[in-house]
Amino acid sequence: MTSAEAGPRRREKYRHGDLRRALVEAGTEMAREGGPQAVVLREATRRVGVAPSAAYRHFEDRRALLDAVCSAAQAALAVAIEGELAGLAGDGNPAELARARLRGVGTGYLRFARAEPGLFRTAFSASDNLRSAASRDRAGEGGLTPFQLLGAALDELVEADVLPRERRPGAEFLAWSAVHGLAMLLIDGPLRGLEHPEAREVGQRLIDMVERGL
Amino acid sequence: MTSAEAGPRRREKYRHGDLRRALVEAGTEMAREGGPQAVVLREATRRVGVAPSAAYRHFEDRRALLDAVCSAAQAALAVAIEGELAGLAGDGNPAELARARLRGVGTGYLRFARAEPGLFRTAFSASDNLRSAASRDRAGEGGLTPFQLLGAALDELVEADVLPRERRPGAEFLAWSAVHGLAMLLIDGPLRGLEHPEAREVGQRLIDMVERGL
DNA sequence: TCTCCTTTGTGTACGGTGTTCACAATCCGT
DNA sequence: ACGGATTGTGAACACCGTACACAAAGGAGA
């Protein structure tokens, strides 16, 4: 008990314990509120209660922090898609189930984009991040990234004989393009402000187009 | 001739003449090099040779400058699409020409995205800008914005009896979604670095999907 | 032509940001 | 218990967007 008088309360622990995770969580919250632009290194350290330079013990860059947040956002998207898929029950017909699962990936994707626009934009903020899309911390509970979930749904479609096998290679890029583009239109573009029923309808219509045209 | 000795050469004209346009041009060049993030107000004034605060005589905000650059980028995109369309000659069959024109809009869009990724990203940087997409300074030589060019192509498709009239309303959003999404994949996403022949092929395949599924 | 007002660019200043670096506190293996 | 590696601190730098008072230039009316 050297100095227990009314000095400014000492920090409980000099070491934080898990500063890296805390910073990513703070950054994720900021991304949720304002997109990738809003994840500000100094603000993150402020929220965690730590000096700005402390972040550099765990991230080389602001960009590195943003990449971690980006991964977290992609994982959240994967979880949303998994949630959409979980409610699907096969009524015996495997072809119909496979189709429903592909639609589920699309609607889950769009639902997440509208529910969490900040996180969604962050998940796809430009960087070298998206190159290796197959990483554990970009995945959901099942261990699959959003991209891999889409690929799996397409594989099931082939297995159920509804998508010709020769059309399978590269099909994920076509489907992904369509849904991702619509998501952008809905949150940033001219379709912003479309309310739930209309947004849902145009989403379903787009997925119809993909199903028909794939 | 009050002070014509060896003083530091006076600025030729105190008034710049057309500072606003000069700033937009500088900003556009920076956007071309590094996307929307790279259009920095101070740097623009530096390139033009003017004090930073001078910009505020012509733009309320950095955001206002960026919006102007964004409009210029959209106009450039419109010109690129028009260029793609200009090479098309009808071989008598109006249905085939209409189809070719729709494809032209898509390939022009994708070509521009790959040729000018910085400008492309800037053209669709998130803001209130995209809401009123119909403005003269977002248009090409023909006075139509990229969005309106797509709409016109779809109208021709209806006129040529290849797209059923009841499917026309809202179709631009479906087509735009697909092409825009692919553009994003090609410049920022997992398809980055795809070279010309492959990129062109996946583009054509996507447009096939749209044509079939619309 | 002179004067006065409006427009447009200047200089300075403030707060915020990312980043660096020497230093201090803590933890951990020996 | 000790000594080195790890992790957080504080001060500093350069840069950014923005605000404000001031000065230079131009134009309208006498």
Side-chain angles (χ1 to χ4, degrees), chain B residues 43-84:
Chain B
E43 169 71 12
T45 63
R46 220 174 287 130
R47 293 194 184 190
V48 172
V50 105
S53 37
Y56 289 84
R57 296 292 174 200
H58 302 274
F59 301 96
E60 187 180 352
D61 247 350
R62 178 201 109 106
R63 183 70 230 184
L65 170 59
L66 183 54
D67 280 353
V69 173
C70 169
S71 291
Q74 283 193 42
L77 171 56
V79 169
I81 294 177
E82 288 173 346
E84 190 79 25

Side-chain angles (χ1 to χ4, degrees), chain A residues 78-95:
Chain A
V79 169
I81 294 178
E82 288 173 345
E84 191 78 25
L85 257 38
L88 261 47
D91 58 340
N93 187 341

Side-chain angles (χ1 to χ4, degrees), chain B residues 61-146:
Chain B
D61 247 350
R62 178 201 109 106
R63 183 70 230 184
L65 170 59
L66 183 54
D67 280 353
V69 173
C70 169
S71 291
Q74 283 193 42
L77 171 56
V79 169
I81 294 177
E82 288 173 346
E84 190 79 25
L85 257 37
L88 262 45
D91 57 340
N93 187 343
E96 211 47 51
L97 177 61
R99 247 193 285 265
R101 287 180 66 81
L102 178 63
R103 301 180 71 85
V105 173
T107 65
Y109 196 96
L110 291 172
R111 180 196 302 282
F112 182 81
R114 298 209 325 128
E116 295 283 5
L119 283 186
F120 182 84
R121 255 187 257 118
T122 306
F124 298 106
S125 63
S127 82
D128 307 322
N129 191 319
L130 292 184
R131 246 191 320 194
S132 65
S135 167
R136 186 56 107 253
D137 47 26
R138 287 189 260 278
E141 317 256 345
L144 294 180
T145 68

Side-chain angles (χ1 to χ4, degrees), chain A residues 11 14-16 19 51 53 57-58:
Chain A
R11 131 180 279 92
Y14 178 76
R15 301 306 189 85
H16 181 280
L19 180 54
S53 39
R57 296 292 173 199
H58 303 274

Side-chain angles (χ1 to χ4, degrees), chain A residues 9-10 60 65 78 100 102 120 196 207:
Chain A
R9 177 126 53 108
R10 304 245 251 200
E60 187 180 350
L65 169 60
L102 178 64
F120 182 84
H196 181 64
I207 298 177

Side-chain angles (χ1 to χ4, degrees), chain B:
Chain B
M1 290 186 186
T2 51
S3 64
E5 46 245 280
R9 178 121 57 105
R10 305 243 248 199
R11 129 178 281 92
E12 349 256 316
K13 297 180 302 186
Y14 180 79
R15 303 303 187 89
H16 181 281
D18 199 351
L19 181 53
R20 184 191 161 92
R21 180 185 315 278
L23 286 173
V24 172
E25 280 171 11
T28 302
E29 187 50 38
M30 298 191 293
R32 186 199 316 285
E33 295 162 7
Q37 287 263 355
V39 31
V40 168
L41 189 143
R42 286 182 100 111
E43 169 71 12
T45 63
R46 220 174 287 130
R47 293 194 184 190
V48 172
V50 105
S53 37
Y56 289 84
R57 296 292 174 200
H58 302 274
F59 301 96
E60 187 180 352
D61 247 350
R62 178 201 109 106
R63 183 70 230 184
L65 170 59
L66 183 54
D67 280 353
V69 173
C70 169
S71 291
Q74 283 193 42
L77 171 56
V79 169
I81 294 177
E82 288 173 346
E84 190 79 25
L85 257 37
L88 262 45
D91 57 340
N93 187 343
E96 211 47 51
L97 177 61
R99 247 193 285 265
R101 287 180 66 81
L102 178 63
R103 301 180 71 85
V105 173
T107 65
Y109 196 96
L110 291 172
R111 180 196 302 282
F112 182 81
R114 298 209 325 128
E116 295 283 5
L119 283 186
F120 182 84
R121 255 187 257 118
T122 306
F124 298 106
S125 63
S127 82
D128 307 322
N129 191 319
L130 292 184
R131 246 191 320 194
S132 65
S135 167
R136 186 56 107 253
D137 47 26
R138 287 189 260 278
E141 317 256 345
L144 294 180
T145 68
F147 223 82
Q148 296 171 321
L149 285 167
L150 171 58
L154 288 169
D155 286 342
E156 297 177 35
L157 226 50
V158 169
E159 221 55 42
D161 271 328
V162 19
L163 178 65
R165 185 164 247 106
E166 68 271 19
R167 287 226 167 129
R168 173 63 187 83
E172 53 261 67
F173 299 122
L174 305 185
W176 199 83
S177 293
V179 175
H180 184 71
L182 179 59
M184 300 299 275
L185 281 189
L186 283 173
I187 66 180
D188 284 337
L191 261 48
R192 173 180 19 185
L194 223 58
E195 283 315 315
H196 181 63
E198 299 93 330
R200 182 174 177 80
E201 204 219 303
V202 60
Q204 293 305 312
R205 215 176 135 193
L206 179 95
I207 297 177
D208 286 343
M209 178 185 88
V210 171
E211 226 175 302
R212 194 158 38 220
L214 214 57

